[in-house]
Amino acid sequence: MPKAARKKAKDPEGRMPLTEHLRELRNRLAISVLAVVVITIVALFFAKSIMNFITEPLPQCIELEDADPAGTRCATLTQAGLTSPFATYIKVSLMVGFVLASPVWLYQAWGFMAPGLHKNEKKYTRAVVAVGVPLFLFGAYFAYWLLPRAIPVLLSFSADGAENLVSVDDILDITVRMAVAFGFAFELPLVLVMLNFGGVVSGKRMLGWWRGMVVGIAIFAAAITPTDLMSMIALQVPVTGLYFLATGIALLNDYRRRRNDPEAQLGDDEASDLDLTPSSIDGPEDIGRPGRGGYDDAT
């Protein structure tokens, strides 16, 4: 019999042996890595322009010597060692490759998990990819917008007469760290909405968390942003607004669910309606046992 004829039919529920799961995981990882590598190679040709874009928020002393007679704090951009420029090229290209290849590896991750999901869960997963990527990119862009306003504040703590030497790696690290932190912070409303759509938490309970959420967002903003107050407020305000937006969406979803099924969204301290109307009890049943009057006891 030909090999194609002996191939097993695909399970409609996505069930397969462990070896098949591992083989599929290997193939999807290979596709994801290949996409990152290809984009990284292409990004190598533009790495210098990308580095100039990343280091642009740093006020460099060479640029401010004639333009700023007031003496605003500045820094000198450095790269130490012969191999440092090349290593930075590779690091920047890998970062760009990982970010631009995100649609590929997100799709591969979804394709690996999708066979084990129900139809409505697959729909929610597509929504996560469709909404999560723009939210993350918007948060990353917001971090880049904030850096030119935060870096001068950090440089203002320098000692009088000190010369600030800032390496390209330092600028790259702080840019990536803030972009990732802001990107994940902007994912908060999506996570809350998905928990609500999955029936894990209700909109009423999310609204009851508002005091703790506002304080928690403020603490997170203070920890992740530079030391100035304006940077903290610039992160706290939009993330808090997104939290209340997610709460509103959850409340609307709960209302829609209750309208379709009144018992679908009961609170933890609520019980479904029970019919407690007393009903009449029938008399004893005649089981037809001779000699005892037809009743089921000896009396």
Side-chain angles (χ1 to χ4, degrees):
M1 183 180 294
K3 184 177 180 180
R6 295 196 307 265
K7 187 176 181 180
K8 294 182 179 180
K10 186 175 181 180
D11 193 315
E13 297 184 4
R15 294 174 297 190
M16 62 180 68
L18 177 60
T19 54
E20 292 294 330
H21 277 294
L22 294 177
R23 187 177 295 110
E24 182 184 7
L25 177 62
R26 180 198 62 189
N27 294 338
R28 293 190 181 278
L29 284 176
I31 295 174
S32 302
V33 171
L34 180 61
V36 173
V37 170
V38 170
I39 298 178
T40 299
I41 293 174
V42 175
L44 281 171
F45 296 97
F46 306 96
K48 190 170 184 179
S49 300
I50 297 171
M51 281 196 301
N52 293 335
F53 176 77
I54 292 176
T55 57
E56 186 177 353
L58 179 70
Q60 300 188 42
C61 296
I62 297 177
E63 300 174 353
L64 296 178
E65 283 180 353
D66 300 327
D68 188 14
T72 300
R73 300 301 304 187
C74 58
T76 301
L77 197 62
T78 64
Q79 284 186 288
L82 293 175
T83 60
S84 178
F86 179 74
T88 306
Y89 260 52
I90 299 298
K91 187 184 297 185
V92 169
S93 302
L94 280 172
M95 179 189 68
V96 173
F98 184 78
V99 172
L100 295 186
S102 58
V104 177
W105 52 260
L106 281 174
Y107 175 79
Q108 295 300 323
W110 174 81
F112 181 73
M113 296 183 297
L117 300 177
H118 299 293
K119 186 177 180 180
N120 61 327
E121 292 173 332
K122 293 180 182 179
K123 178 180 63 176
Y124 294 155
T125 308
R126 296 189 188 99
V128 169
V129 177
V131 179
V133 173
L135 278 176
F136 184 87
L137 293 178
F138 181 75
Y141 174 78
F142 189 77
Y144 183 80
W145 173 85
L146 188 64
L147 278 174
R149 296 152 180 81
I151 290 179
V153 176
L154 295 176
L155 294 177
S156 66
F157 291 95
S158 303
D160 294 337
E163 182 180 0
N164 294 296
L165 302 177
V166 180
S167 67
V168 176
D169 287 340
D170 289 340
I171 292 293
L172 180 62
D173 289 341
I174 191 174
T175 302
V176 172
R177 186 165 62 249
M178 287 192 64
V180 171
F182 276 53
F184 279 113
F186 276 65
E187 299 287 341
L188 172 66
L190 179 62
V191 173
L192 293 175
V193 169
M194 294 307 300
L195 289 176
N196 175 259
F197 276 50
V200 178
V201 62
S202 65
K204 184 178 179 181
R205 173 162 292 187
M206 287 169 54
L207 185 61
W209 294 343
W210 74 270
R211 294 181 180 83
M213 291 296 295
V214 170
V215 174
I217 292 172
I219 294 174
F220 174 80
I224 201 62
T225 56
T227 52
D228 62 309
L229 180 63
M230 293 305 298
S231 299
M232 185 190 77
I233 295 176
L235 176 61
Q236 181 184 4
V237 170
V239 175
T240 304
L242 289 173
Y243 159 72
F244 283 108
L245 175 62
T247 302
I249 295 174
L251 290 172
L252 289 176
N253 180 61
D254 291 347
Y255 172 76
R256 177 191 61 82
R257 194 176 296 175
R258 284 194 302 268
R259 186 180 59 184
N260 296 335
D261 185 0
E263 295 185 4
Q265 273 293 319
L266 293 174
D268 294 338
D269 55 350
E270 298 176 347
S272 59
D273 295 332
L274 298 177
D275 185 7
L276 302 179
T277 304
S279 58
S280 60
I281 302 177
D282 298 332
E285 181 183 358
D286 184 2
I287 59 175
R289 298 180 63 183
R292 294 186 180 178
Y295 300 108
D296 57 353
D297 59 1
T299 57

